Amino acid sequence: MLKAKILFVGPCESGKTVLANFLTESSDITEYNPTQGVRILEFENPQVASNNKGTGCEFELWDCGGDTKFESCWPALMKDSHGVVIIFNANIPSHLKEIEMWHSCFVQQQLLQDSQCLLIAHHKPGSGGDKGNLSLAAPLNKLKLVHSNLEEEPEEIRMEFIKYLKSIVSSVSESRDREEMSIIT
């Protein structure tokens, strides 16, 4: 069975844990409680298979605390990750600047491809779902950006996340196939 590790990163209070719980169908959290270090959620998604034979895929979603005091742990969190989802609160202007640092640390330094990264502009309940044009600096403007609003359009973010999981699975399968071929030849 194929295993894929995906990191949820981003500034404090952006909604990472709420989204992680929603997308993995884990428990609901009602009050804000900052993640200390990391929380690891293991899940399978029946809509995502690792190949056309329908082989399943196991996912580890690493919900990483947004406080930079955990920066010394980041290299350990990044090890062997297959994808990074950067989550930010679209209503907090400073988050747009902060996500550049998250992208630099977690995507560029790991030499991940743009396709292995997803940007989620999370809209908290009551914030209004204003999907106005977010002016993202390069190289963030090359990444896939989706808006999440769990109150108004929960299924939209679920479908986008499944698409993202499928792209991660295909890149993991391809690199595993390349490794196997290099061993054979």
Side-chain angles (χ1 to χ4, degrees):
M1 182 172 285
L2 198 68
K3 249 192 150 132
K5 173 180 171 181
I6 295 167
L7 306 181
F8 268 30
V9 302
C12 290
E13 294 194 57
S14 53
K16 297 179 292 296
T17 297
V18 169
L19 269 172
N21 285 348
F22 173 74
L23 294 169
T24 60
E25 298 177 0
S26 302
S27 64
D28 285 338
I29 291 180
T30 49
E31 64 198 50
Y32 177 65
N33 191 0
T35 301
Q36 300 300 314
V38 68
R39 227 171 44 102
I40 301 170
L41 301 166
E42 293 186 340
F43 70 103
E44 290 178 33
N45 189 309
Q47 292 173 282
V48 182
S50 65
N51 59 27
N52 42 19
K53 297 183 203 92
T55 308
C57 184
E58 264 176 29
F59 296 97
E60 280 184 359
L61 193 158
W62 291 47
D63 174 17
C64 305
D67 196 319
T68 49
K69 74 180 181 192
F70 301 117
E71 199 168 342
S72 60
C73 306
W74 292 353
L77 301 180
M78 292 182 227
K79 188 176 173 0
D80 301 327
S81 66
H82 301 104
V84 173
V85 178
I86 301 173
I87 297 163
F88 63 101
N89 183 331
N91 300 310
I92 301 178
S94 64
H95 277 198
L96 287 178
K97 201 81 204 126
E98 279 183 60
I99 57 175
E100 293 176 30
M101 180 276 296
W102 290 96
H103 180 265
S104 165
C105 289
F106 283 86
V107 180
Q108 289 174 321
Q109 287 177 25
Q110 287 195 90
L111 306 175
L112 291 180
Q113 303 298 311
D114 287 350
S115 61
Q116 291 171 277
C117 186
L118 179 67
L119 269 182
I120 300 180
H122 185 58
H123 299 271
K124 294 191 171 180
S127 66
D130 178 28
K131 294 183 184 178
N133 283 347
L134 290 170
S135 54
L136 296 171
L140 295 174
N141 57 6
K142 295 188 189 82
L143 302 174
K144 179 162 180 64
L145 168 69
V146 296
H147 289 264
S148 79
N149 187 325
L150 299 183
E151 263 190 334
E152 293 174 20
E153 303 166 307
E155 288 314 307
E156 193 175 308
I157 188 63
R158 197 185 302 277
M159 294 316 297
E160 288 293 347
F161 189 62
I162 288 169
K163 277 189 227 165
Y164 172 70
L165 291 179
K166 287 178 176 175
S167 74
I168 293 296
V169 166
S170 77
S171 84
V172 171
S173 300
E174 283 167 25
S175 71
R176 195 169 71 173
D177 292 348
R178 275 195 304 275
E179 266 175 44
E180 287 171 1
M181 288 311 289
S182 72
I183 293 167
I184 295 167
T185 51

